């Protein structure tokens, strides 16, 4: 009987040890240079309607300022390594990353204007150039926050 208990304890320790080493070995699943900035949208096809505002904001910014937009990736909810690495808890989630540094995180369903305002701020788009893009109620807020 004692041998069974010892065997169970030993196997539990080995199992826990192997789980710990696997979890600590997770590396950034995105292949990017350390100075490269990318925008990543974590998407779930079952809630694709919630992501429309993210796509609209990105398309509008890309259309008006193509040189300011970094590369854009969409990662599906079944990409478990990326979801775990970036600690994604809800969909949609958008990250702006430079290497391993997280510059911006937006989670959940947000209005296009709010997403656009955050992206404009993080990508340092010239404030005079962006004012026509923002709705009037956000223009005043943006001018106050920049000044």
């Amino acid at each position: 009987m004692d041998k069974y208990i010892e065997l169970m304890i030993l196997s539990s320790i080995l199992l826990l040890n192997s789980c710990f080493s696997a979890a600590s070995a997770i590396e950034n699943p995105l292949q990017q240079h350390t100075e490269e900035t990318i925008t990543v949208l974590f998407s779930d096809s079952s809630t694709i309607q919630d992501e429309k505002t993210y796509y609209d904001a990105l398309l509008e910014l890309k259309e008006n300022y193509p040189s300011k937009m970094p590369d854009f990736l969409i990662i599906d909810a079944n990409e478990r390594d990326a979801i775990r690495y970036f600690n994604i808890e809800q969909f949609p989630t958008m990250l702006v990353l430079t290497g391993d540094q997280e510059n911006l995180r937006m989670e959940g369903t947000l209005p296009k204007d709010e997403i656009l305002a955050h992206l404009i701020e993080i990508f340092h788009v010239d404030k005079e150039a962006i004012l026509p893009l923002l709705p009037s109620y956000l223009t005043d807020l943006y001018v106050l926050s920049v000044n």
Side-chain angles (χ1 to χ4, degrees):
M1 182 75 170
D2 289 335
K3 288 188 179 202
Y4 290 116
I5 293 174
E6 288 177 17
L7 182 60
M8 286 177 41
I9 292 173
L10 182 61
S11 62
S12 297
I13 291 171
L14 291 175
L15 179 64
L16 289 174
N17 189 28
S18 67
C19 290
F20 177 72
S21 64
S24 64
I26 295 176
E27 294 181 9
N28 186 340
L30 305 177
Q31 302 298 319
Q32 74 190 68
H33 300 288
T34 56
E35 298 302 317
E36 180 184 13
T37 299
I38 60 171
T39 304
V40 183
L41 180 65
F42 291 87
S43 172
D44 185 353
S45 57
S46 66
T47 60
I48 196 93
Q49 69 279 2
D50 296 338
E51 301 169 12
K52 180 184 180 318
T53 55
Y54 286 91
Y55 294 118
D56 290 345
L58 285 165
L59 287 172
E60 188 169 331
L61 198 60
K62 177 89 173 157
E63 181 179 297
N64 291 293
Y65 306 98
S67 64
K68 294 288 187 178
M69 286 295 298
D71 290 338
F72 177 68
L73 296 172
I74 299 173
I75 297 181
D76 192 67
N78 64 7
E79 299 287 333
R80 288 285 157 216
D81 289 341
I83 302 297
R84 198 171 324 127
Y85 181 83
F86 291 106
N87 195 27
I88 303 302
E89 296 177 359
Q90 64 178 326
F91 296 94
T93 293
M94 180 180 283
L95 303 178
V96 176
L97 306 165
T98 302
D100 283 333
Q101 179 183 349
E102 188 176 299
N103 301 324
L104 176 67
R105 177 180 286 250
M106 291 182 281
E107 298 176 311
T109 306
L110 299 172
K112 179 186 91 167
D113 296 334
E114 184 178 341
I115 297 166
L116 190 59
H118 286 296
L119 291 174
I120 285 169
E121 183 179 336
I122 201 74
F123 296 142
H124 306 290
V125 176
D126 181 35
K127 74 176 184 181
E128 284 77 29
I130 60 135
L131 291 179
L133 285 178
L134 295 175
S136 60
Y137 67 91
L138 282 179
T139 302
D140 296 336
L141 291 174
Y142 182 76
V143 171
L144 288 175
S145 71
V146 172
N147 292 332

